[in-house]
Amino acid sequence: MITKSMIHEVENATVRDRNGASVGKVAQVFPSDDDGSAAFVSVKAGLFRGETTLVPVEDASFDGTDLHVSYTKSAIKDAPSSPAGNRLSPAQANAVREHFGLSPIGRATGDMGDPYENLDQAGSGPAGADDTEGAGTTPPA
């Protein structure tokens, strides 16, 4: 996670894909509305191309020099373009998230893709919805 206090350090950092290959440089950081941590970065690839693409960075890491993301170089290259301005609309953010196979903003799901996961542990989801519910019990005959 790139915290609010780290955003200025990440600007102009080299972006590396999940295999460690250089993809480009961070052109802009788009903070989260929730806590100000980095939600997306625009990545400028190549010296002469003016086009930038958007990459989610909620699980990225920064080592002081390079920003490491968990996506392939080709996925980053084919990602939606960065818009003009300092903010992303929810539609723009969701288009990027969809491109990278992430859940839309505001529709968090658990690791099994279950919208009720972690909710029924508090008794608010339908019985059997959580992927851990009933773990360690013998199934009925």
Side-chain angles (χ1 to χ4, degrees), residues 63-91:
D63 64 12
T65 306
D66 298 330
L67 180 66
H68 300 270
V69 296
S70 59
Y71 309 107
T72 63
K73 189 173 188 172
S74 63
I76 294 167
K77 186 182 126 217
D78 294 338
S81 297
S82 177
N86 298 352
R87 301 192 61 80
L88 297 177
S89 71

Side-chain angles (χ1 to χ4, degrees), residues 2 9-29 40-46 52-57 59-77 79 100:
I2 309 304
E9 297 173 44
V10 172
E11 292 171 345
N12 297 314
T14 298
V15 177
R16 297 203 175 268
D17 76 354
R18 70 177 178 202
N19 299 314
S22 176
V23 178
K25 295 272 189 185
V26 173
Q28 185 174 354
V29 179
F40 299 90
V41 296
S42 60
V43 179
K44 184 175 181 177
T52 59
T53 58
L54 289 166
V55 179
V57 292
D59 65 345
S61 63
F62 181 62
D63 64 12
T65 306
D66 298 330
L67 180 66
H68 300 270
V69 296
S70 59
Y71 309 107
T72 63
K73 189 173 188 172
S74 63
I76 294 167
K77 186 182 126 217
F100 287 101

Side-chain angles (χ1 to χ4, degrees), residues 101-136:
L102 301 172
S103 299
I105 292 173
R107 287 191 80 201
T109 60
D111 62 350
M112 300 301 288
D114 178 358
Y116 298 106
E117 185 172 21
N118 299 326
L119 297 177
D120 64 333
Q121 292 176 6
S124 58
D130 187 82
D131 66 312
T132 60
E133 189 166 337

